[in-house]
Coordinates of all heavy atoms in Angstrom, one line a residue:
S24 N 304.2 171.2 262.8 CA 305.3 170.8 261.9 C 306.5 171.6 262.3 O 306.6 172.8 262.5 CB 305.0 171.0 260.4 OG 304.1 170.2 260.0
N25 N 307.6 170.8 262.3 CA 309.0 171.4 262.7 C 309.3 171.7 264.1 O 310.3 172.2 264.4 CB 309.4 172.4 261.7 CG 309.8 171.9 260.3 OD1 309.3 170.8 259.9 ND2 310.7 172.4 259.6
A26 N 308.3 171.7 264.9 CA 308.5 171.9 266.3 C 309.1 170.5 266.8 O 308.8 169.5 266.3 CB 307.2 172.1 267.1
S27 N 310.0 170.7 267.8 CA 310.8 169.5 268.3 C 309.8 168.5 268.9 O 310.2 167.3 269.0 CB 311.8 170.0 269.3 OG 311.3 170.6 270.4
S28 N 308.6 168.9 269.4 CA 307.7 167.9 269.9 C 306.2 168.5 269.8 O 306.2 169.8 269.6 CB 308.0 167.5 271.3 OG 307.6 168.6 272.2
S29 N 305.2 167.9 269.9 CA 303.9 168.4 269.8 C 303.6 169.4 270.9 O 302.8 170.3 270.8 CB 302.9 167.3 269.9 OG 302.9 166.5 271.0
N30 N 304.3 169.2 272.1 CA 304.1 170.2 273.1 C 304.9 171.5 272.9 O 304.7 172.4 273.7 CB 304.6 169.5 274.5 CG 303.6 168.5 274.9 OD1 302.6 168.2 274.4 ND2 304.0 167.8 276.0
N31 N 305.7 171.5 271.9 CA 306.4 172.8 271.6 C 305.9 173.5 270.4 O 306.5 174.5 270.0 CB 307.9 172.4 271.3 CG 308.6 172.0 272.7 OD1 308.4 172.5 273.7 ND2 309.6 171.0 272.5
C32 N 304.8 173.2 269.9 CA 304.1 173.9 268.9 C 303.4 175.1 269.5 O 303.0 175.2 270.6 CB 303.2 173.1 268.0 SG 301.6 172.7 268.8
Y33 N 303.1 176.1 268.6 CA 302.5 177.4 269.2 C 301.2 177.2 269.8 O 300.8 177.8 270.8 CB 302.5 178.4 268.1 CG 301.2 178.4 267.3 CD1 300.0 178.9 267.7 CD2 301.2 177.7 266.0 CE1 298.8 178.8 267.0 CE2 300.0 177.6 265.4 CZ 298.8 178.1 265.8 OH 297.7 178.0 265.1
A34 N 300.5 176.2 269.2 CA 299.1 175.9 269.7 C 299.1 175.4 271.1 O 298.4 175.9 272.0 CB 298.3 174.9 268.8
Y35 N 300.0 174.4 271.4 CA 300.0 173.8 272.7 C 300.6 174.8 273.7 O 300.2 174.9 274.8 CB 300.9 172.5 272.7 CG 300.7 171.7 274.0 CD1 299.6 170.8 274.1 CD2 301.5 171.9 275.0 CE1 299.5 170.1 275.3 CE2 301.3 171.2 276.2 CZ 300.3 170.3 276.3 OH 300.2 169.6 277.5
L36 N 301.6 175.5 273.3 CA 302.2 176.5 274.2 C 301.2 177.6 274.6 O 301.2 178.0 275.8 CB 303.5 177.2 273.5 CG 304.7 176.3 273.2 CD1 305.6 177.1 272.3 CD2 305.3 175.9 274.5
S37 N 300.4 178.1 273.7 CA 299.4 179.2 274.0 C 298.3 178.6 274.8 O 297.7 179.2 275.7 CB 299.0 179.9 272.8 OG 298.4 179.0 271.9
Y38 N 297.9 177.3 274.5 CA 296.9 176.6 275.3 C 297.4 176.5 276.8 O 296.6 176.7 277.8 CB 296.6 175.2 274.8 CG 296.2 174.2 275.7 CD1 295.0 174.1 276.4 CD2 297.2 173.2 276.0 CE1 294.8 173.1 277.3 CE2 296.9 172.2 276.9 CZ 295.7 172.2 277.5 OH 295.5 171.2 278.5
S39 N 298.6 176.2 276.9 CA 299.2 175.9 278.3 C 299.1 177.3 279.1 O 299.0 177.1 280.3 CB 300.7 175.5 278.2 OG 300.7 174.2 277.6
W40 N 299.1 178.4 278.4 CA 299.0 179.6 279.2 C 297.6 179.6 280.0 O 297.6 180.0 281.1 CB 299.1 180.8 278.3 CG 299.0 182.1 279.1 CD1 300.0 182.8 279.6 CD2 297.7 182.8 279.3 NE1 299.5 183.9 280.2 CE2 298.2 184.0 280.1 CE3 296.5 182.6 279.1 CZ2 297.3 185.0 280.6 CZ3 295.5 183.6 279.5 CH2 295.9 184.7 280.3
F41 N 296.6 179.2 279.3 CA 295.3 179.1 280.0 C 295.3 178.1 281.1 O 294.8 178.4 282.1 CB 294.2 178.8 278.9 CG 293.7 179.9 278.2 CD1 294.3 180.4 277.0 CD2 292.6 180.6 278.5 CE1 293.8 181.4 276.3 CE2 292.1 181.8 277.9 CZ 292.7 182.2 276.7
A42 N 295.9 176.9 280.9 CA 295.9 176.0 281.9 C 296.7 176.4 283.1 O 296.4 176.0 284.2 CB 296.5 174.6 281.3
D43 N 297.8 177.1 282.9 CA 298.6 177.6 284.0 C 298.0 178.8 284.7 O 298.3 179.1 285.8 CB 299.9 178.0 283.5 CG 300.8 176.8 282.9 OD1 300.4 175.7 283.2 OD2 301.8 177.0 282.3
T44 N 297.2 179.6 284.0 CA 296.6 180.7 284.6 C 295.3 180.4 285.3 O 295.1 180.8 286.5 CB 296.3 181.8 283.5 OG1 297.6 182.2 283.0 CG2 295.6 183.0 284.1
F45 N 294.4 179.6 284.7 CA 293.0 179.3 285.2 C 293.1 177.9 285.8 O 292.8 177.0 285.1 CB 292.0 179.5 284.1 CG 291.9 180.9 283.6 CD1 292.4 181.2 282.3 CD2 291.4 182.0 284.3 CE1 292.4 182.4 281.8 CE2 291.5 183.2 283.8 CZ 291.9 183.5 282.5
T46 N 293.5 177.8 287.0 CA 293.9 176.5 287.6 C 292.8 175.8 288.2 O 293.0 174.7 288.7 CB 295.0 176.7 288.6 OG1 294.6 177.6 289.6 CG2 296.3 177.3 287.9
E47 N 291.5 176.3 288.2 CA 290.4 175.6 288.7 C 289.5 175.0 287.7 O 288.7 174.2 288.0 CB 289.6 176.5 289.7 CG 288.6 175.8 290.5 CD 287.9 176.7 291.6 OE1 286.9 177.3 291.3 OE2 288.5 176.8 292.7
C48 N 289.7 175.4 286.4 CA 288.8 175.0 285.4 C 289.4 173.8 284.7 O 290.6 173.6 284.6 CB 288.4 176.1 284.5 SG 289.7 176.6 283.4
D49 N 288.5 173.0 284.0 CA 289.0 171.9 283.3 C 289.1 172.4 281.8 O 288.0 172.7 281.1 CB 287.9 170.8 283.4 CG 288.3 169.4 282.9 OD1 289.5 169.4 282.4 OD2 287.5 168.6 282.8
I50 N 290.3 172.5 281.2 CA 290.5 173.0 279.9 C 290.7 172.0 278.9 O 291.6 171.1 279.1 CB 291.7 174.0 280.0 CG1 291.4 175.1 281.1 CG2 291.8 174.7 278.6 CD1 292.4 176.1 281.1
T51 N 290.0 172.0 277.8 CA 290.1 171.1 276.7 C 290.8 171.7 275.5 O 290.5 172.8 275.1 CB 288.7 170.5 276.3 OG1 288.1 169.8 277.4 CG2 289.0 169.5 275.1
Y52 N 291.8 171.0 275.0 CA 292.6 171.5 274.0 C 292.3 170.7 272.7 O 292.3 169.5 272.6 CB 294.1 171.3 274.2 CG 295.1 171.4 273.2 CD1 295.5 172.6 272.6 CD2 295.9 170.3 272.8 CE1 296.4 172.8 271.6 CE2 296.8 170.4 271.8 CZ 297.1 171.6 271.3 OH 298.1 171.8 270.2
V53 N 291.9 171.4 271.7 CA 291.5 170.8 270.4 C 292.5 171.3 269.3 O 292.4 172.5 268.9 CB 290.1 171.1 270.0 CG1 289.7 170.5 268.5 CG2 289.1 170.5 271.0
N54 N 293.3 170.4 268.7 CA 294.2 170.9 267.6 C 293.7 170.3 266.3 O 293.9 169.0 266.1 CB 295.7 170.5 267.9 CG 296.6 171.1 266.9 OD1 296.3 171.2 265.7 ND2 297.9 171.4 267.4
A55 N 293.1 171.1 265.5 CA 292.5 170.7 264.2 C 293.3 171.1 263.0 O 292.9 171.5 262.0 CB 291.1 171.2 264.0
G56 N 294.7 171.2 263.2 CA 295.6 171.5 262.1 C 295.9 170.3 261.2 O 296.1 169.2 261.8
I57 N 295.8 170.5 259.9 CA 296.2 169.4 258.9 C 297.1 170.0 258.0 O 296.8 171.1 257.3 CB 294.9 168.9 258.3 CG1 293.9 168.3 259.2 CG2 295.3 167.8 257.2 CD1 292.7 167.6 258.6
G58 N 298.2 169.4 257.8 CA 299.3 169.9 256.9 C 298.8 170.1 255.5 O 298.1 169.2 255.0
G59 N 299.3 171.1 254.9 CA 299.0 171.3 253.4 C 297.5 171.7 253.0 O 297.1 171.7 251.9
T60 N 296.7 172.1 254.0 CA 295.3 172.4 253.8 C 295.1 173.9 253.9 O 295.8 174.6 254.6 CB 294.4 171.7 254.7 OG1 294.6 172.1 256.1 CG2 294.6 170.2 254.7
D61 N 294.1 174.4 253.2 CA 293.8 175.8 253.2 C 292.3 176.0 253.8 O 291.8 175.1 254.2 CB 293.9 176.4 251.8 CG 293.0 175.8 250.7 OD1 292.1 175.0 251.1 OD2 293.2 176.1 249.6
S62 N 291.8 177.2 253.6 CA 290.5 177.5 254.3 C 289.4 176.9 253.5 O 288.3 176.9 254.1 CB 290.4 179.1 254.5 OG 290.4 179.7 253.2
W63 N 289.6 176.5 252.2 CA 288.5 175.7 251.6 C 288.2 174.4 252.4 O 287.1 174.2 252.7 CB 288.8 175.4 250.1 CG 287.7 174.7 249.4 CD1 286.8 175.4 248.7 CD2 287.4 173.3 249.3 NE1 285.8 174.4 248.1 CE2 286.2 173.2 248.6 CE3 288.0 172.2 249.9 CZ2 285.7 171.9 248.3 CZ3 287.4 171.0 249.7 CH2 286.2 170.9 248.8
L64 N 289.3 173.7 252.7 CA 289.1 172.5 253.5 C 288.7 172.8 254.9 O 287.9 172.2 255.5 CB 290.3 171.6 253.5 CG 290.5 170.8 252.2 CD1 292.0 170.3 252.1 CD2 289.6 169.5 252.5
G65 N 289.2 174.0 255.4 CA 288.9 174.5 256.7 C 287.4 174.7 256.9 O 286.8 174.3 257.9
V66 N 286.8 175.4 256.0 CA 285.4 175.8 256.1 C 284.5 174.5 255.9 O 283.5 174.4 256.6 CB 285.0 176.9 255.1 CG1 284.9 176.4 253.7 CG2 283.7 177.5 255.6
H67 N 284.9 173.5 255.2 CA 284.2 172.3 255.0 C 284.3 171.4 256.2 O 283.3 170.6 256.4 CB 284.6 171.6 253.7 CG 284.1 172.2 252.5 ND1 284.7 173.3 251.8 CD2 283.0 172.0 251.8 CE1 284.0 173.7 250.7 NE2 283.0 172.9 250.6
R68 N 285.4 171.4 256.9 CA 285.5 170.5 258.0 C 285.3 171.2 259.4 O 285.5 170.6 260.4 CB 286.8 169.7 257.9 CG 288.1 170.7 258.0 CD 289.4 169.8 257.9 NE 290.6 170.6 258.1 CZ 291.2 170.8 259.2 NH1 290.8 170.2 260.3 NH2 292.3 171.6 259.2
A69 N 285.0 172.4 259.4 CA 284.9 173.2 260.6 C 284.0 172.6 261.6 O 284.2 172.5 262.8 CB 284.5 174.6 260.3

């Protein structure tokens, strides 16, 4: 939320560090963020 694009959110930016550093491996990015949710919902959908 409020990043100018999905590629500019902290999650994608920090994931990109792995992709840029470890260039021989196949890296999968999973973003399981849901707006307005807390860890009660987090532990149930983990």
Side-chain angles (χ1 to χ4, degrees):
S24 290
N25 284 32
S27 58
S28 74
S29 59
N30 288 357
N31 288 325
C32 75
Y33 88 82
Y35 193 87
L36 292 171
S37 56
Y38 145 75
S39 295
W40 182 90
F41 277 88
D43 292 346
T44 297
F45 302 105
T46 59
E47 192 171 90
C48 69
D49 193 5
I50 303 180
T51 299
Y52 167 71
V53 178
N54 189 324
I57 297 181
T60 63
D61 62 12
S62 61
W63 185 93
L64 276 161
V66 75
H67 285 85
R68 65 186 182 88

